[in-house]
Amino acid sequence: MAEPAVSALDQVTRVASRDHAAAGLLDGQILRRGAISSVVFIYLGAILLGPLAAMGVELAHVGVLDALRSLLAPDALFALRTSLVLTTIAVVVNAVVGTLGAIAVVRQRFLGRALVNALADLPLAISPVMIGLAFILLFGREGWLSALVTATGIKVVFAWTGLLIATLFVTLPFTLREVAYVLEEIGTSEEEAAATLGAGPWQIFFRVTLPNIRFALGYGLLMTLARSLGEFGAVLVLGGSISGQTQTATTFIHAAIEERQTGSAYGMALLLALTSVLLLSSLEWAKRRKKVK
Amino acid sequence: MKSVAYALTPTRSERIARSFVVLYIAALVALPLLALVVFGTSDGLVALAAALRSPLARSALWLTLWTSVLVGILDVLLGVATAWVLVRYEFPGRAAISALVDLPLAIPTLVAGMMLATLYGAHSWIGSNLDAAGMPVMFAAPGILLALLFVTLPFVIRAVEPVLLEIDPAEEEAARMLGAGPWRTFRTVFLPAIAPAAISAGIRSVGRALGEFGAIVIVAGNIPFRTLTAPVYIFGEIESGEPRSAAAVSVLLLAVALGLHSLAGTIEKHTGARHG
Amino acid sequence: MHIRVEHLCKRFGSFAAVDDVSFDVEDGSLVALLGPSGSGKSTLLRILAGLESADSGNVWFDDEPATDLHARMRGVGFVFQHYALFRHLTVEQNVGFGLSVRGVSKEATAKKVKELLQLTGLAGLEQRFPSQLSGGQRQRVALARALAPEPKLLLLDEPFGAVDAKVREELRQWLRRLHDEVGVTSIFVTHDQEEAFAVSDRVLVVHRGRIEQNGAPMEILDSPATEFVARFVGEVNVFPAVVRAGVAQAGKLEVRVQGEHGPGESHLVIRAYDLKLWREEPGIATVQRVVTFGDRVRVQALVDGAGPIIAQFPRRSSLLKGVEPGCRVQIDVTTARAYPAQASSLYPLPAT
């Protein structure tokens, strides 16, 4: 019975020595905290807070009202309207496709399910410029679907349709992924319970499934909104940024910078930045709510 | 494989809806990528290699590759540190900063580039001083790095945060009680838990950085052989009517991006880490 | 409602979850499906509810074919193991769900919900969400919700599995009272034999997708049909034995047995409370351990030539006088059964 006594003693001395060293340890702890925090704040300052502040100062310098007033020019208004229409369509389409697609991928078994699952995730991994190029190769003069373009008369390259297709491509994953994740987490038992209680498929969907995924869907749609408003590379390549025709809010900024129209560039950038801050706070709210309890 | 309950077997209209969705996704994603790959390799791999042998293409690819990998590494290190500070330290404004970390998801990349240009450009106090000191940020590699760090900022932080929150405080206390110092505690308790999430998110950062266009196009200045990255090179080739060399570089970048994507996916699948 | 199940089979891949199962459930009775986890009892329940399809076989509800009836048309109430309450709905809305999807008027629904909440002791919690309830309360909401559309059959999957021991005992008694009050034919799944015997009119012991025995609780306790049933209901001792003329011999232990005992190797099964032992020289066994827990005493002894045996006594039993580790004891078995030994490959002897 000697062993436990020794180890207990050992523990006591260890605790005692720990207390003894507590003062020194505390200093070390504060030092470490300080060091890590400084690194992190310098990092965030250099890439996030600093640039954000600089933008604010610059805007104050240029004059917020002047900057916004420049958006009343016809081509700026046109670009804004184009972005709004594209975003609206992207949100509506993704609400439907994301929900149905997630249900199919998570709840159903069919041939090609794994492929759809993988494809739906891909747009996040591909450079926007390549997306634009890929669609040019598909719908361009020598493309596989050029016959379709001639037959229907619907132009894609350097046309509004191209902007839409590019926007739909880059926004595909957001709702589908979010909704699929929550469906997986929640499981099927509530839906089964509804079935045993006499609910039909539509009743199950609208009264059980949809309420359960609503915050995930909302989060996905906010991301869709942010991405379609902010998409630049794909719409630039496929749309060509033709003023008054295929220019969106972002390609408008690009063109304004190239033409040294700093005022209009900052005006549009301010509008987009404000929108994204608004979006960000909605995103944070939806993120808290979408967690499965 | 989990079987789906009989009572929830899809009805006819659900199956029709499913076919539309499957067709939509296949047409929207698979078709263009297939076209890109076929076109990029249509003249055979020899032609592909020849297109890649152009000095400009090679320098652009190299620039993109090293900046992306460096950004991935920095993201993992600084991202873990940031997540650590955000989760474990109390300080005024923590909630606001934590929320701002998601800003790169919400803000157009082009606007992000403008923000960086405003802070580090020659017109600003910081920019002019850095230029004078011989360490230009704008139109130089540091600018590219900053832009890439910005757009990939949330990746590692958001992947590591939930893991840090889930670690049982008892584990940490046990390690301390056994006499482990802070670094040893971190290595034995925290590191194994956060490593898979941090690494897979870091890989996704690299993938994202490889393809970034909007944030770079303003900051980098796109000087051939110096600050012209691969995506900007592709854009330039398309603009000047050279889709073939654009496609060749694209196919290479695509292969790397898809490889990284599936690597990150594999890590996430085997460790339960989740991205996004 | 009278339920008849005929030759039901269900496979998942190569695994037979339900293997040629047939049984009847009388109208108004409360039946337990008792078996270890993975025995197929939950799958059986899900087939009855229409949540799972059978590969073959038939289900009849009051002599009407119900095999291909969709879950929502069956009029079956189902209480899920983890309740599956609608997390976005209040208690009131949860209970009223089955009525409102059927288009029952708001007034009628409200009236029925109120009645059920009274019956289940949930009055006052109408506006709570499931996340704001205790485990026992959730269980009651799940039950009230299943009862609201006045089902002809109530199915409960491990109804008390997710609540702690004390609440479980209360809920058990409450379920029995509720069943007697409402009178709906009920089938519940459990792996807890005590629960099955305490609550039900009939017990179906399920093992490897088959019904091992179908009988009243007493029947199953007193004359278990198979070795599996004998082992599953209560603590038992099992010895390889030779049976001749109704007497089984295992080492120095000689026991008169009931049940099958054809020629050849048998398994002698003795329940821990079906034997007596007392201190006696020379005796046939040596006591190894004596453990007291609550009002019972467990004695473990080593029978000469047969191996360890466990006996249970009331704490104050006079037989225990002088029984202590190392002493010799004599053993008298009051009731024992023998089963053919080929079953032994299915149910390995407990490690001793």
Coordinates of all heavy atoms in Angstrom, one line a residue, chain A residues 95-136:
Chain A
A95 N -33.0 28.9 -55.6 CA -34.0 28.5 -54.5 C -34.6 27.2 -54.9 O -34.7 26.3 -54.1 CB -35.0 29.6 -54.3
V96 N -35.0 27.1 -56.2 CA -35.7 25.9 -56.6 C -34.7 24.8 -56.8 O -34.8 23.7 -56.3 CB -36.4 26.2 -58.0 CG1 -37.1 24.9 -58.5 CG2 -37.5 27.2 -57.7
V97 N -33.6 25.1 -57.6 CA -32.7 24.0 -57.9 C -31.9 23.5 -56.7 O -31.7 22.3 -56.5 CB -31.7 24.5 -59.0 CG1 -30.5 23.5 -59.2 CG2 -32.3 24.7 -60.3
G98 N -31.6 24.5 -55.8 CA -30.9 24.1 -54.6 C -31.7 23.2 -53.7 O -31.2 22.2 -53.2
T99 N -33.0 23.5 -53.6 CA -33.8 22.7 -52.7 C -34.1 21.4 -53.3 O -33.9 20.3 -52.7 CB -35.1 23.5 -52.4 OG1 -34.8 24.8 -52.0 CG2 -36.0 22.8 -51.4
L100 N -34.6 21.4 -54.5 CA -34.9 20.1 -55.2 C -33.6 19.2 -55.3 O -33.6 18.0 -55.1 CB -35.5 20.3 -56.6 CG -36.9 20.9 -56.6 CD1 -37.4 21.1 -58.0 CD2 -37.9 20.1 -55.8
G101 N -32.5 19.9 -55.7 CA -31.3 19.1 -55.9 C -30.8 18.5 -54.6 O -30.4 17.4 -54.5
A102 N -30.9 19.3 -53.5 CA -30.4 18.8 -52.2 C -31.3 17.6 -51.8 O -30.8 16.6 -51.3 CB -30.4 19.9 -51.2
I103 N -32.6 17.7 -52.0 CA -33.5 16.6 -51.6 C -33.1 15.4 -52.4 O -33.0 14.3 -51.9 CB -34.9 17.1 -51.8 CG1 -35.3 18.1 -50.7 CG2 -35.9 15.8 -51.7 CD1 -36.7 18.6 -50.9
A104 N -32.9 15.6 -53.7 CA -32.6 14.4 -54.6 C -31.3 13.8 -54.1 O -31.2 12.6 -54.0 CB -32.5 14.9 -56.0
V105 N -30.3 14.6 -53.9 CA -29.0 14.1 -53.5 C -29.0 13.4 -52.2 O -28.3 12.4 -52.0 CB -27.9 15.2 -53.6 CG1 -26.6 14.8 -52.9 CG2 -27.6 15.5 -55.1
V106 N -29.7 14.0 -51.2 CA -29.6 13.4 -49.8 C -30.7 12.4 -49.6 O -30.4 11.3 -49.0 CB -29.8 14.6 -48.8 CG1 -29.8 14.0 -47.4 CG2 -28.7 15.6 -48.9
R107 N -31.9 12.6 -50.1 CA -33.0 11.7 -49.8 C -33.3 10.6 -50.8 O -34.0 9.7 -50.5 CB -34.3 12.6 -49.6 CG -34.2 13.5 -48.5 CD -34.7 12.8 -47.2 NE -34.9 13.8 -46.1 CZ -34.0 14.1 -45.2 NH1 -32.8 13.6 -45.2 NH2 -34.3 15.0 -44.3
Q108 N -32.7 10.7 -52.0 CA -33.1 9.7 -53.0 C -31.9 8.9 -53.5 O -30.8 9.4 -53.3 CB -33.8 10.4 -54.1 CG -35.0 11.3 -53.7 CD -35.7 12.0 -54.8 OE1 -35.4 11.8 -56.0 NE2 -36.6 12.9 -54.5
R109 N -32.2 7.8 -54.0 CA -31.2 7.0 -54.6 C -31.4 6.8 -56.1 O -32.5 6.4 -56.5 CB -31.1 5.6 -54.0 CG -30.8 5.6 -52.5 CD -29.4 6.0 -52.3 NE -29.1 6.2 -50.9 CZ -29.2 7.4 -50.3 NH1 -29.6 8.5 -51.0 NH2 -28.9 7.6 -49.0
F110 N -30.5 7.3 -56.9 CA -30.7 7.2 -58.4 C -29.4 7.1 -59.1 O -28.3 7.5 -58.5 CB -31.6 8.3 -58.9 CG -31.0 9.7 -58.6 CD1 -30.2 10.3 -59.5 CD2 -31.3 10.3 -57.4 CE1 -29.6 11.6 -59.3 CE2 -30.8 11.6 -57.2 CZ -29.9 12.2 -58.1
L111 N -29.4 6.7 -60.3 CA -28.2 6.5 -61.1 C -27.6 7.9 -61.3 O -28.3 8.9 -61.6 CB -28.5 5.9 -62.4 CG -27.3 5.3 -63.2 CD1 -26.8 4.1 -62.5 CD2 -27.7 5.0 -64.6
G112 N -26.3 8.1 -61.0 CA -25.7 9.4 -61.2 C -25.7 10.3 -60.1 O -25.4 11.5 -60.2
R113 N -26.2 9.8 -58.9 CA -26.4 10.7 -57.7 C -25.0 11.2 -57.3 O -24.8 12.4 -57.0 CB -27.0 9.9 -56.6 CG -27.3 10.7 -55.4 CD -28.0 9.8 -54.3 NE -26.9 9.0 -53.7 CZ -26.4 9.2 -52.5 NH1 -26.9 10.3 -51.8 NH2 -25.5 8.5 -52.0
A114 N -24.0 10.3 -57.3 CA -22.7 10.7 -56.8 C -22.1 11.7 -57.8 O -21.4 12.7 -57.4 CB -21.8 9.5 -56.8
L115 N -22.4 11.6 -59.1 CA -21.8 12.5 -60.1 C -22.4 13.9 -59.9 O -21.7 14.9 -59.9 CB -22.1 12.0 -61.5 CG -21.5 12.8 -62.6 CD1 -20.0 12.6 -62.7 CD2 -22.2 12.4 -63.9
V116 N -23.8 13.9 -59.7 CA -24.4 15.2 -59.5 C -23.9 15.9 -58.2 O -23.6 17.1 -58.2 CB -26.0 15.0 -59.3 CG1 -26.6 16.2 -58.8 CG2 -26.6 14.6 -60.6
N117 N -23.7 15.1 -57.2 CA -23.1 15.6 -55.9 C -21.8 16.2 -56.2 O -21.5 17.3 -55.7 CB -23.0 14.4 -55.0 CG -23.1 14.9 -53.5 OD1 -23.2 16.1 -53.3 ND2 -22.9 13.9 -52.6
A118 N -20.9 15.6 -57.0 CA -19.6 16.1 -57.2 C -19.7 17.3 -58.1 O -19.0 18.3 -57.9 CB -18.7 15.0 -57.8
L119 N -20.5 17.3 -59.1 CA -20.6 18.4 -60.1 C -21.1 19.6 -59.4 O -20.6 20.7 -59.7 CB -21.6 18.0 -61.2 CG -21.1 17.1 -62.3 CD1 -22.2 16.8 -63.3 CD2 -19.9 17.7 -63.0
A120 N -22.0 19.5 -58.5 CA -22.6 20.6 -57.8 C -21.6 21.4 -57.0 O -21.8 22.6 -56.7 CB -23.8 20.2 -56.9
D121 N -20.6 20.7 -56.6 CA -19.5 21.3 -55.7 C -18.4 22.0 -56.6 O -17.7 22.8 -56.0 CB -18.9 20.3 -54.8 CG -18.7 20.8 -53.4 OD1 -19.3 21.8 -53.1 OD2 -18.0 20.1 -52.7
L122 N -18.3 21.6 -57.8 CA -17.2 22.0 -58.6 C -17.0 23.5 -58.9 O -15.9 24.0 -58.8 CB -17.3 21.3 -60.0 CG -16.6 20.0 -60.1 CD1 -16.4 19.6 -61.5 CD2 -15.2 20.0 -59.4
P123 N -18.1 24.3 -59.2 CA -17.9 25.7 -59.5 C -17.1 26.4 -58.5 O -16.4 27.4 -58.9 CB -19.4 26.2 -59.6 CG -20.2 25.1 -60.0 CD -19.5 23.9 -59.3
L124 N -17.1 26.0 -57.2 CA -16.3 26.7 -56.2 C -14.8 26.5 -56.5 O -14.0 27.3 -56.0 CB -16.6 26.1 -54.8 CG -17.9 26.5 -54.3 CD1 -18.1 25.8 -52.9 CD2 -18.1 28.0 -54.1
A125 N -14.4 25.5 -57.2 CA -13.0 25.1 -57.3 C -12.4 25.7 -58.7 O -11.3 25.5 -58.9 CB -12.8 23.6 -57.3
I126 N -13.3 26.3 -59.5 CA -12.8 26.7 -60.8 C -12.7 28.2 -60.9 O -13.6 28.9 -60.5 CB -13.8 26.1 -61.9 CG1 -13.7 24.6 -61.8 CG2 -13.4 26.6 -63.3 CD1 -14.8 23.9 -62.5
S127 N -11.6 28.6 -61.6 CA -11.4 30.1 -61.7 C -12.5 30.7 -62.6 O -12.8 30.1 -63.7 CB -10.0 30.3 -62.4 OG -9.9 31.6 -62.7
P128 N -13.0 31.8 -62.2 CA -14.1 32.5 -63.0 C -13.6 32.7 -64.5 O -14.5 32.6 -65.4 CB -14.3 33.8 -62.3 CG -13.7 33.6 -61.0 CD -12.7 32.6 -61.0
V129 N -12.4 33.0 -64.7 CA -11.9 33.3 -66.0 C -12.1 32.0 -66.9 O -12.5 32.1 -68.1 CB -10.4 33.7 -66.0 CG1 -10.0 34.1 -67.4 CG2 -10.2 34.9 -65.1
M130 N -11.7 30.9 -66.3 CA -11.8 29.6 -67.0 C -13.3 29.3 -67.3 O -13.6 28.7 -68.4 CB -11.3 28.5 -66.2 CG -9.8 28.5 -66.1 SD -9.2 27.0 -65.5 CE -8.8 27.4 -63.8
I131 N -14.2 29.7 -66.4 CA -15.6 29.4 -66.6 C -16.0 30.2 -67.9 O -16.7 29.7 -68.8 CB -16.4 29.9 -65.4 CG1 -16.1 29.0 -64.2 CG2 -17.9 29.8 -65.7 CD1 -16.5 29.6 -62.9
G132 N -15.6 31.5 -67.9 CA -16.0 32.3 -69.1 C -15.4 31.7 -70.4 O -16.2 31.5 -71.4
L133 N -14.2 31.2 -70.3 CA -13.5 30.6 -71.5 C -14.3 29.4 -71.9 O -14.6 29.1 -73.1 CB -12.1 30.3 -71.2 CG -11.3 29.5 -72.2 CD1 -11.2 30.3 -73.5 CD2 -9.9 29.2 -71.8
A134 N -14.7 28.5 -70.9 CA -15.3 27.3 -71.2 C -16.6 27.5 -72.0 O -17.0 26.8 -72.9 CB -15.6 26.5 -69.9
F135 N -17.4 28.6 -71.5 CA -18.6 28.8 -72.2 C -18.4 29.4 -73.6 O -19.2 29.2 -74.5 CB -19.5 29.7 -71.4 CG -20.3 29.0 -70.3 CD1 -19.9 29.1 -69.0 CD2 -21.3 28.1 -70.6 CE1 -20.6 28.4 -68.0 CE2 -21.9 27.3 -69.6 CZ -21.6 27.5 -68.3
I136 N -17.3 30.2 -73.7 CA -17.0 30.7 -75.1 C -16.7 29.6 -76.0 O -17.2 29.5 -77.2 CB -15.8 31.7 -75.0 CG1 -16.2 33.0 -74.4 CG2 -15.3 31.9 -76.4 CD1 -15.0 34.0 -74.3

